[in-house]
Amino acid sequence: KQSEQMRKNGTRPNIIVMLMDDMGWGDLGVFGHPAKETPNLDKMASEGALMTDFYSGNPLCSPSRAAFLTGRLPIRNGFYSTNAHARNAYTPQKIVGGIPDSEILLPELLRKAGYKSKIIGKWHLGQQERYLPLNHGFDEFFGSTNCHFGPYNNKNTPNIPVFRNGEMIGRYYEEFEIHQKTGESNMTQLFIEEALKFIDEQHAAGNPFFLDWTPDATHTPLYASSGFLGNSQRGLYGDAVMELDSGVGRILEKLRDLKIDSNTFVFFMSDNGAATYAKEQGGSVGPFLCGKETTFEGGMREPSIAWWPGKIKPGIISRQLGSIMDLFTTAVELAGLSIPKDRIIDGSSLLPLLLNGEEDPNKAIFYYRGDEMMAVRQGLFKAHYWTWTNSYSEFKHGTNFCPGQNVTGVMTHDQTNHTDSPLLFNLGLDPGEKYPIKSSSAVYKEVMPSLEAVVKDHKNKLVAGEPQLNICDKAVENWAPPGCVKLNKCLPIPKSNPFNCTWVH
Amino acid sequence: KQSEQMRKNGTRPNIIVMLMDDMGWGDLGVFGHPAKETPNLDKMASEGALMTDFYSGNPLCSPSRAAFLTGRLPIRNGFYSTNAHARNAYTPQKIVGGIPDSEILLPELLRKAGYKSKIIGKWHLGQQERYLPLNHGFDEFFGSTNCHFGPYNNKNTPNIPVFRNGEMIGRYYEEFEIHQKTGESNMTQLFIEEALKFIDEQHAAGNPFFLDWTPDATHTPLYASSGFLGNSQRGLYGDAVMELDSGVGRILEKLRDLKIDSNTFVFFMSDNGAATYAKEQGGSVGPFLCGKETTFEGGMREPSIAWWPGKIKPGIISRQLGSIMDLFTTAVELAGLSIPKDRIIDGSSLLPLLLNGEEDPNKAIFYYRGDEMMAVRQGLFKAHYWTWTNSYSEFKHGTNFCPGQNVTGVMTHDQTNHTDSPLLFNLGLDPGEKYPIKSSSAVYKEVMPSLEAVVKDHKNKLVAGEPQLNICDKAVENWAPPGCVKLNKCLPIPKSNPFNCTWVH
Ligand SMILES: [Ca+2]
Ligand SMILES: [Ca+2]
């Protein structure tokens, strides 16, 4: 109905997705962080719809971003590994795989409706040339294929390139500095300026546009620019949050200045939960359990705000379940297009909710870790079929996904199979997943069968995609990315030697 | 300066303190609870000043309330026990002690400036006749001397009386029902109606007034009225929060209707942290450690909002440290009076902050448990001198003040003395008290000496009050409270047999 309406009136609003990196649910003022570092986001929430129960597509960067741009779970679009059961995988420099050509990315679709699309920040869907954003529907790209890890010595490992469109224009820690000791870097300012410029240009050209604004300052190694360093009360992480928040404010202000705010749908969220393993360098999971890499709430519930002045009523607080994949479907509908019919799209449109207040109580969230469906949520109930955080040996060596937390039998350090009697939680009563509902209880007996039916239906229809994250090879690292010749920055490429990537978490 | 100004212009604004019972920092929408049950409080915060770093006077009901009304730490006003080291004590029915006559309570002072004072809800400063509110400065009282525990059989233990002014008018579970199974009770509605009526009456009479509105629906056993039962997504606790929130809304609306909102200073907070031991029946500590009964942040940091339209600028978010005792001093100053000079008052006025934005970086918070100063905070740093949660035997038997949490060496189950090398935390970086700062670090060496100086000064000046909570006696229970004859509800009083109260936590 909504999409019909959209197709009829053909408004084709601009679409901006602000996708943060490792920012936690609990980092926003409006979600309770005591440091209250996000005045612009809090204001955005008060002017739009705050989504309290909105999820990433995965507890890790690459698969979550692939889920967004394809509208499909990573198990379908190939962003997982079969190298080891229930382990997360992503796209490091040495990954051979990437986003398959067979996947239809959001900007590819939007192009059909005349949209110009740009991604600013971290791509992370593969870094070999055939996987680059401009080969998958984006018109412009400013940012990097990978995380800003480093510095490297360009011998054992090349420094990560920063791209403009199809060519690299420098490398992190070389042309694009991130000061190792202080964390000072101008990157977020560059990402903000790029966004403002793109909006100006597309507005001037009269194009509807899609901006995937995905700065990564809250992913370790953290960074902030000189104007923000030391401004927060929680160190570099808070400084980065404040700088990103200011960027949100400046982008929304730009829309207002150009008087296109009522013609621009903006959605803010993060790609996965707070990196609790980074301790004081990571974000906040608020009242939730564990963080990034896990399928507990801290790993996948995201700070999420929808904003569209004049269309979305101000001050909505919605507990409707939703996921990053819904942004795909919502954007397609906003553009007046139809979603692909030849494949399962996991996202559903948010417009009935956001424009008409229509809720979908049957919406289910599937929590995957690598190749395994770990948990499912419908309504207030969440059932864990498999639990684990990280291995005991990793934990013993200091990697803790749940620092300060301990829920016995839930935060397991081995892969525990509960499929015969899933661990059930009422996330309304117990958002922190602290009090498993007894399997002998009336509630359990009433709720579990309907969840089981949801899972059964999901698994029956599931056709897993070809896993993209199994093979690694040092030869595919960023030794000589497109553009390196011009810059005289090509490095010698080692001999190809493919091997099975190993994933510990 | 502020108080001079107040004395000069003599505005004598009305004063309302809304003091919740066991509500947690994390229960308010504006402090991040995902259930977002507090639209009225969130609005109140947006219209006033939200205090992120505001503390109770103690992690337990009675001492915290005594701290509020005397402006003094419980160690000074006598609301502690010396029966056992570092154990919390309160005023159960059998307590012999109560608020000493030598203490000057806020309404006693306010009376000098012509204020009419009423307390609605839980008194908890002693339940023998000489301790009743009307004997300590209040003009009116509707509520109870004790918690609404019960039902009792009136043989081994009398049911708790509900008072109007100096006389009981019935008992909980008898005339004032709390349905044991459903939790249905009309008490919060009565407390709201009493508040509205008092405001109307005092306004009509032209009196400045002080209302101590302290409903106790969020203290177990939880209750809510039929209009709220089942309305929240987190059970009876959330229902109670929603009903209290609606009460806040109705009281503020009444002030607006009477056009006295700009002449009424309102402060909302809670008397101690969330009762985490009650599990799903308790509130939320948000991102903080442990809860009620403990001196970790979850035990004493409170959801706090100051509201005074036209005087306090809307939308202030203040990280200034403050405590419930500051409300005493603030109220005295608002009334144009001077604080007593013959004793130490721990509270300081909030008016320089709230009206002029003047912060006090030296303000210190002392975290006491019974007779022991457990911890101190100044700025972002908190040092624990003693740590414990509850005894291992209590813990083993299922009483857990920190469910789902585990910070080794911090949440100790015995009383651990760190006075030689206090456990130091940066609550800015680490609000959850998860990452103790190494005592060998430069930060520790820089910060600890100044905290030590604060503690030394505090201890040097400390004159402990006569402990009020040492002696118990079944004869002092509510067998035959004032008013019982009229109601024909006097019960036989057992023979006096005083004994040392025992406190396990
Ligand atoms: Ca990420
Ligand atoms: Ca209490």
Side-chain angles (χ1 to χ4, degrees):
Chain A
K1 211 182 78 195
Q2 277 298 323
S3 62
E4 276 166 39
Q5 202 180 318
M6 281 289 154
R7 268 197 295 276
K8 254 193 311 216
N9 63 24
T11 52
R12 296 187 306 159
N14 309 308
I15 298 161
I16 301 179
V17 173
M18 299 167 161
L19 184 61
M20 301 301 107
D21 201 345
D22 291 9
M23 193 181 279
W25 190 94
D27 284 322
L28 271 53
V30 77
F31 280 130
H33 200 281
K36 298 280 180 192
E37 291 152 350
T38 59
N40 292 289
L41 284 161
D42 298 350
K43 183 159 175 282
M44 181 184 177
S46 73
E47 295 168 352
L50 181 67
M51 310 286 294
T52 61
D53 293 63
F54 209 83
Y55 292 87
S56 72
N58 194 265
L60 206 64
C61 309
S62 292
S64 184
R65 287 151 192 268
F68 162 41
L69 289 172
T70 63
R72 287 150 56 80
L73 283 166
I75 192 73
R76 300 191 214 276
N77 65 35
F79 265 66
Y80 70 102
S81 168
T82 51
N83 286 358
H85 178 250
R87 280 181 156 81
N88 298 309
Y90 73 111
T91 55
Q93 285 205 72
K94 62 189 174 186
I95 200 80
V96 171
I99 191 72
D101 286 338
S102 57
E103 290 296 318
I104 304 169
L105 268 64
L106 178 58
E108 297 181 63
L109 284 172
L110 294 179
R111 180 173 282 166
K112 296 182 191 169
Y115 278 73
K116 293 290 174 189
S117 298
K118 178 166 193 162
I119 175 166
I120 297 171
K122 188 164 96 177
W123 167 241
H124 231 212
L125 298 197
Q127 43 91 39
Q128 295 205 70
E129 190 171 353
R130 66 177 177 280
Y131 299 126
L132 292 182
L134 268 58
N135 296 323
H136 289 270
F138 280 99
D139 298 292
E140 299 182 23
F141 173 34
F142 176 77
S144 185
T145 46
N146 296 83
C147 292
H148 55 273
F149 295 144
Y152 300 114
N153 61 6
N154 282 339
K155 296 211 164 61
N156 311 93
T157 307
N159 273 312
I160 306 285
V162 172
F163 282 76
R164 173 164 306 283
N165 302 325
E167 296 190 343
M168 85 173 231
I169 52 172
R171 295 182 189 269
Y172 278 122
Y173 303 93
E174 297 174 20
E175 290 76 13
F176 295 90
E177 236 189 312
I178 299 174
H179 194 285
Q180 257 191 289
K181 263 218 165 130
T182 64
E184 182 173 343
S185 171
N186 213 31
M187 288 312 301
T188 299
Q189 290 304 312
L190 293 181
F191 293 147
I192 295 170
E193 295 298 337
E194 282 284 325
L196 301 177
K197 191 159 159 279
F198 176 71
I199 294 168
D200 268 331
E201 286 169 358
Q202 300 312 315
H203 174 62
N207 297 322
F209 62 83
F210 165 47
L211 171 60
D212 184 4
W213 190 64
T214 181
D216 58 356
T218 43
H219 190 300
T220 53
L222 306 169
Y223 61 77
S225 69
S226 60
F228 290 87
L229 273 181
N231 281 13
S232 82
Q233 68 173 37
R234 55 171 172 159
L236 199 44
Y237 186 86
D239 300 344
V241 169
M242 290 178 81
E243 185 162 13
L244 293 166
D245 177 74
S246 87
V248 170
R250 288 175 66 190
I251 290 172
L252 299 186
E253 194 190 2
K254 167 64 72 184
L255 299 176
R256 280 194 204 93
D257 286 351
L258 296 177
K259 301 198 180 3
I260 54 173
D261 50 326
S262 63
N263 193 38
T264 306
F265 175 88
V266 186
F267 202 95
F268 174 93
M269 71 179 293
S270 180
D271 67 340
N272 49 247
T276 40
Y277 57 75
K279 298 179 182 165
E280 303 99 315
Q281 300 269 306
S284 166
V285 294
F288 300 127
L289 188 63
C290 302
K292 180 176 174 180
E293 303 267 8
T294 78
T295 47
F296 299 104
E297 290 299 287
M300 287 181 58
R301 207 191 292 205
E302 304 302 331
S304 306
I305 303 168
W307 187 90
W308 192 6
K311 299 292 198 306
I312 297 172
K313 273 191 229 136
I316 292 173
I317 293 172
S318 176
R319 301 177 189 88
Q320 169 67 51
L321 302 200
S323 92
I324 198 169
M325 294 170 284
D326 297 339
L327 302 183
F328 175 94
T329 306
T330 303
V332 170
E333 190 166 312
L334 287 169
L337 300 165
S338 298
I339 61 165
K341 296 279 186 290
D342 65 340
R343 62 196 68 202
I344 288 180
I345 300 290
D346 294 285
S348 46
S349 173
L350 296 170
L351 298 182
L353 173 79
L354 295 174
L355 304 182
N356 303 333
E358 292 167 22
E359 300 203 337
D360 175 8
N362 295 321
K363 174 89 175 177
I365 302 295
F366 300 98
Y367 304 68
Y368 269 84
R369 190 156 167 178
D371 58 351
E372 184 61 77
M373 195 210 74
M374 307 288 287
V376 64
R377 176 179 178 184
Q378 192 181 46
L380 291 176
F381 291 94
K382 178 177 178 183
H384 289 271
Y385 285 70
W386 287 83
T387 55
W388 81 302
T389 53
N390 58 352
S391 68
Y392 196 64
S393 73
E394 284 281 311
F395 178 69
K396 283 282 274 191
H397 284 91
T399 303
N400 188 351
F401 293 157
C402 323
Q405 298 182 315
N406 185 31
V407 184
T408 311
V410 176
M411 294 160 39
T412 56
H413 282 293
D414 46 18
Q415 296 189 357
T416 309
N417 185 347
H418 305 278
T419 53
D420 288 342
S421 181
L423 290 182
L424 185 67
F425 293 90
N426 178 334
L427 296 182
L429 270 176
D430 175 24
E433 294 167 286
K434 289 174 182 161
Y435 312 113
I437 295 170
K438 283 203 183 81
S439 60
S440 58
S441 68
V443 171
Y444 192 98
K445 284 170 186 163
E446 191 193 319
V447 169
M448 259 329 291
S450 67
L451 281 175
E452 292 279 16
V454 168
V455 170
K456 198 175 162 195
D457 179 63
H458 171 70
K459 293 212 164 170
N460 281 345
K461 290 179 184 157
L462 181 68
V463 181
E466 191 68 28
Q468 295 297 313
L469 309 180
N470 279 349
I471 311 296
C472 288
D473 188 343
K474 280 196 76 70
V476 307
E477 294 192 359
N478 296 294
W479 307 102
C484 73
V485 177
K486 240 185 270 178
L487 294 173
N488 197 20
K489 284 188 80 86
C490 305
L491 300 166
I493 302 173
K495 225 176 61 186
S496 174
N497 179 24
F499 60 97
N500 284 334
C501 315
T502 53
W503 309 103
V504 289
H505 304 307
Chain B
K1 213 182 81 197
Q2 277 299 323
S3 62
E4 274 167 42
Q5 204 179 315
M6 281 290 155
R7 266 197 296 276
K8 255 194 311 216
N9 63 25
T11 51
R12 297 185 306 160
N14 308 308
I15 297 161
I16 300 179
V17 173
M18 300 167 160
L19 184 61
M20 301 299 108
D21 201 346
D22 291 9
M23 194 181 278
W25 190 93
D27 283 322
L28 272 53
V30 75
F31 280 130
H33 199 280
K36 297 280 178 192
E37 292 152 349
T38 59
N40 292 290
L41 283 163
D42 298 351
K43 183 158 174 284
M44 181 184 177
S46 73
E47 295 168 352
L50 181 68
M51 310 287 295
T52 60
D53 294 63
F54 209 84
Y55 292 87
S56 72
N58 193 265
L60 207 64
C61 309
S62 293
S64 184
R65 288 152 192 267
F68 162 41
L69 289 172
T70 63
R72 285 150 57 81
L73 283 166
I75 192 72
R76 297 191 215 278
N77 66 36
F79 265 67
Y80 70 101
S81 169
T82 52
N83 286 357
H85 179 250
R87 282 181 154 82
N88 299 308
Y90 74 110
T91 56
Q93 285 205 73
K94 62 189 174 188
I95 200 79
V96 171
I99 190 72
D101 286 337
S102 57
E103 290 297 319
I104 304 169
L105 269 64
L106 178 57
E108 297 181 62
L109 284 172
L110 294 179
R111 180 173 281 167
K112 295 181 193 170
Y115 280 72
K116 294 290 174 188
S117 298
K118 179 166 192 161
I119 174 167
I120 297 171
K122 188 164 95 176
W123 167 241
H124 230 213
L125 297 198
Q127 43 91 38
Q128 295 204 71
E129 191 172 354
R130 67 178 175 279
Y131 300 125
L132 292 182
L134 268 57
N135 296 324
H136 289 270
F138 280 100
D139 300 293
E140 299 182 23
F141 173 33
F142 177 77
S144 185
T145 46
N146 297 82
C147 291
H148 55 272
F149 295 143
Y152 300 114
N153 61 5
N154 282 341
K155 296 213 164 60
N156 311 92
T157 308
N159 273 313
I160 306 284
V162 173
F163 282 75
R164 173 166 302 284
N165 302 327
E167 295 189 345
M168 83 173 234
I169 52 172
R171 294 182 189 271
Y172 278 122
Y173 304 93
E174 297 175 20
E175 291 76 12
F176 295 90
E177 236 188 314
I178 298 172
H179 194 285
Q180 259 191 291
K181 265 221 165 126
T182 64
E184 183 174 344
S185 170
N186 213 31
M187 288 312 301
T188 300
Q189 290 304 312
L190 294 181
F191 293 146
I192 296 170
E193 295 298 338
E194 282 285 325
L196 301 178
K197 189 158 160 279
F198 176 72
I199 294 167
D200 268 333
E201 287 169 356
Q202 299 313 314
H203 174 62
N207 296 323
F209 63 82
F210 164 48
L211 171 59
D212 184 3
W213 189 64
T214 181
D216 58 355
T218 42
H219 190 299
T220 52
L222 306 169
Y223 61 77
S225 69
S226 60
F228 290 87
L229 274 182
N231 281 12
S232 82
Q233 68 174 37
R234 55 171 169 158
L236 198 45
Y237 186 86
D239 300 344
V241 170
M242 290 178 81
E243 185 162 11
L244 293 166
D245 177 74
S246 87
V248 170
R250 288 176 65 192
I251 291 171
L252 298 187
E253 193 190 3
K254 167 64 72 184
L255 299 175
R256 280 195 205 91
D257 285 351
L258 296 177
K259 300 197 183 1
I260 54 172
D261 50 328
S262 64
N263 193 37
T264 306
F265 175 88
V266 186
F267 202 96
F268 174 94
M269 70 178 293
S270 180
D271 67 341
N272 50 247
T276 39
Y277 57 76
K279 298 178 182 166
E280 303 100 317
Q281 300 269 305
S284 166
V285 294
F288 299 126
L289 187 64
C290 302
K292 180 176 173 180
E293 303 267 8
T294 78
T295 46
F296 299 104
E297 290 298 287
M300 286 183 58
R301 207 192 292 206
E302 305 302 331
S304 307
I305 303 168
W307 186 90
W308 192 5
K311 298 293 197 308
I312 297 172
K313 274 192 229 133
I316 292 173
I317 293 173
S318 176
R319 301 178 190 87
Q320 169 67 51
L321 304 199
S323 92
I324 197 169
M325 294 170 284
D326 297 340
L327 302 183
F328 175 94
T329 306
T330 304
V332 170
E333 189 166 314
L334 286 169
L337 300 165
S338 297
I339 62 165
K341 297 280 185 292
D342 64 339
R343 61 196 69 203
I344 288 180
I345 300 289
D346 293 285
S348 46
S349 173
L350 296 169
L351 298 182
L353 173 78
L354 295 173
L355 304 182
N356 302 333
E358 292 167 23
E359 300 203 336
D360 175 7
N362 295 321
K363 174 90 174 177
I365 301 296
F366 300 97
Y367 304 67
Y368 269 83
R369 190 155 166 178
D371 58 350
E372 184 61 78
M373 196 212 72
M374 308 288 286
V376 64
R377 176 179 178 185
Q378 191 180 45
L380 292 175
F381 291 94
K382 178 177 178 183
H384 290 270
Y385 285 71
W386 286 83
T387 55
W388 80 302
T389 55
N390 58 352
S391 68
Y392 194 66
S393 72
E394 284 281 309
F395 179 70
K396 283 283 274 191
H397 285 91
T399 303
N400 188 351
F401 293 155
C402 323
Q405 297 182 315
N406 185 29
V407 184
T408 311
V410 177
M411 294 162 37
T412 55
H413 282 293
D414 47 18
Q415 296 188 356
T416 308
N417 186 347
H418 305 278
T419 51
D420 287 342
S421 181
L423 291 182
L424 185 66
F425 293 90
N426 178 334
L427 296 180
L429 270 176
D430 174 23
E433 293 166 288
K434 289 174 182 162
Y435 312 113
I437 296 169
K438 283 202 183 81
S439 59
S440 57
S441 67
V443 172
Y444 192 98
K445 284 169 187 166
E446 191 194 318
V447 169
M448 259 329 291
S450 67
L451 282 175
E452 293 280 16
V454 168
V455 171
K456 198 175 161 192
D457 180 62
H458 170 71
K459 294 213 166 170
N460 280 345
K461 291 178 183 156
L462 181 67
V463 181
E466 192 65 36
Q468 295 297 315
L469 308 181
N470 279 349
I471 311 295
C472 288
D473 187 344
K474 281 196 77 70
V476 306
E477 294 192 358
N478 296 294
W479 307 103
C484 71
V485 178
K486 241 185 267 180
L487 294 174
N488 199 19
K489 285 186 79 84
C490 304
L491 300 167
I493 303 172
K495 223 176 61 186
S496 174
N497 179 24
F499 60 97
N500 284 333
C501 316
T502 53
W503 310 102
V504 288
H505 303 308

